Amino acid sequence: MKRIFSVVFLIFLLVITSLPAYAAAATNIQIKVDGVVIPSEVDPEIRNTRTMVPLRVISENLGAKVNWSDSEVTLTRGDMQVILKLNSSTAVKNGKTVLLDVKPFIKNNRTIVPLRFLAETFGCNINYRNLTVTVDTEPLFIDGVKVTALQQDFHMTMGSVVNQIKGNANIEAIYNNFVDNKGSKVEAPSDPTWSVQYGTGQYDFLDQEGNSIKRFDIYSLSRSSPEAAPEVHIYDATENQWYLFNDAAKISMYQFIDTATKNGFLTVISNSAP
């Protein structure tokens, strides 16, 4: 009897002492997207052998757009649409119902979702090793050439700041912002000058060797009337053609850059501003 009690007590001790180690592993998981460790306001955790992450990590770093309606969230990227419901074991992918291994839930006022399901749904490769989940997203191709970085030259009154942005989702979002909001062709302004405003500047989409594949310049041109808002133009340097742009698209450009900075995808190459 004593021997049985001793065995049971030993097993109990082993279970108890193993719990802190498991908890530490669950709270020290890193999410790395396109080679960059992504900061998260809520620690990822493991449930039913699945890595669960805050929805913001998915939406911002996989390039998915988010739309909330009550307890239902719709994620869209390209021609793929996914609908998730809190505490539901099913999701809807392009109209088809699929089962989830783990239900989305709320943690610290954040929606937590299964990373592997969404990453693979949006065409990403995902691997788990040594408490690091690595997600590789699909790169952008322009005219058949792979884009590996975006270089932004932000012109100021005195000097300029040159940034390099990586992360395929960031690059694609900025490129699509140009393409989707490029207006009608216009004549070149008589004296275009840079205006020190958020979003203006030069944007170069670079290949693996650092050569420019496509370049857009954003200008805010002052109108004749002081009360009128500046007119926004873009110059397609590849085509040598000017187009109308819009202020909302210019502001979106700043927001994309802010997101890339916040998530660790922006590097300052040079800064000659005083």
Side-chain angles (χ1 to χ4, degrees):
M1 186 70 181
K2 289 183 178 179
R3 179 175 296 179
I4 295 174
F5 176 80
S6 298
V7 171
V8 172
F9 183 72
L10 179 60
I11 293 173
F12 176 77
L13 286 179
L14 290 174
V15 171
I16 292 298
T17 55
S18 66
L19 287 177
Y22 174 81
T27 58
N28 287 322
I29 299 170
Q30 287 187 331
I31 306 297
K32 185 180 286 188
V33 178
D34 293 337
V36 175
V37 175
I38 303 302
S40 175
E41 68 275 11
V42 178
D43 289 333
E45 64 177 79
I46 300 293
R47 285 200 180 186
N48 194 21
T49 73
R50 291 292 180 257
T51 304
M52 308 296 290
V53 297
L55 179 64
R56 184 184 66 83
V57 173
I58 293 292
S59 61
E60 289 186 352
N61 294 291
L62 299 188
K65 296 181 180 179
V66 179
N67 182 45
W68 272 102
S69 178
D70 297 327
S71 61
E72 180 179 283
V73 60
T74 301
L75 299 177
T76 306
R77 179 185 174 189
D79 58 359
M80 175 58 70
Q81 182 188 79
V82 180
I83 301 174
L84 297 168
K85 291 183 179 180
L86 287 174
N87 302 312
S88 174
S89 59
T90 61
V92 179
K93 290 173 55 175
N94 281 354
K96 296 182 179 180
T97 301
V98 295
L99 292 175
L100 298 174
D101 293 324
V102 184
K103 302 175 183 179
F105 60 91
I106 296 293
K107 177 182 177 181
N108 296 343
N109 296 320
R110 295 290 186 269
T111 302
I112 310 300
V113 295
L115 175 60
R116 178 175 290 276
F117 168 74
L118 289 179
E120 292 182 347
T121 294
F122 291 123
C124 307
N125 294 319
I126 182 168
N127 291 287
Y128 183 88
R129 186 177 182 182
N130 297 331
L131 299 181
T132 298
V133 181
T134 302
V135 181
D136 295 316
T137 65
E138 294 179 325
L140 171 69
F141 285 83
I142 300 177
D143 297 330
V145 182
K146 179 181 176 180
V147 180
T148 59
L150 170 63
Q151 187 161 297
Q152 181 214 24
D153 191 345
F154 178 58
H155 299 263
M156 306 181 73
T157 305
M158 296 178 63
S160 65
V161 178
V162 179
N163 300 318
Q164 190 166 100
I165 299 169
K166 295 194 174 181
N168 294 324
N170 301 308
I171 295 171
E172 184 175 355
I174 292 174
Y175 179 76
N176 288 340
N177 192 48
F178 279 116
V179 173
D180 295 342
N181 294 285
K182 184 167 67 173
S184 58
K185 294 181 180 180
V186 293
E187 295 294 326
S190 57
D191 184 24
T193 56
W194 294 105
S195 175
V196 185
Q197 295 183 12
Y198 290 130
T200 59
Q202 177 178 305
Y203 295 80
D204 257 306
F205 296 87
L206 308 178
D207 64 14
Q208 193 169 1
E209 284 73 37
N211 301 315
S212 178
I213 307 170
K214 190 78 171 176
R215 194 189 99 199
F216 294 101
D217 300 348
I218 303 180
Y219 288 83
S220 288
L221 306 174
S222 299
R223 298 195 177 195
S224 55
S225 171
E227 293 81 16
E231 189 174 74
V232 183
H233 286 182
I234 59 171
Y235 173 65
D236 187 329
T238 313
E239 298 179 4
N240 189 27
Q241 178 62 53
W242 287 81
Y243 293 89
L244 287 177
F245 208 45
N246 59 73
D247 196 59
K250 185 193 72 173
I251 294 173
S252 293
M253 201 67 67
Y254 166 69
Q255 293 171 339
F256 290 137
I257 293 169
D258 183 61
T259 297
T261 303
K262 179 175 59 179
N263 290 323
F265 286 102
L266 184 142
T267 302
V268 178
I269 303 300
S270 66
N271 187 346
S272 61

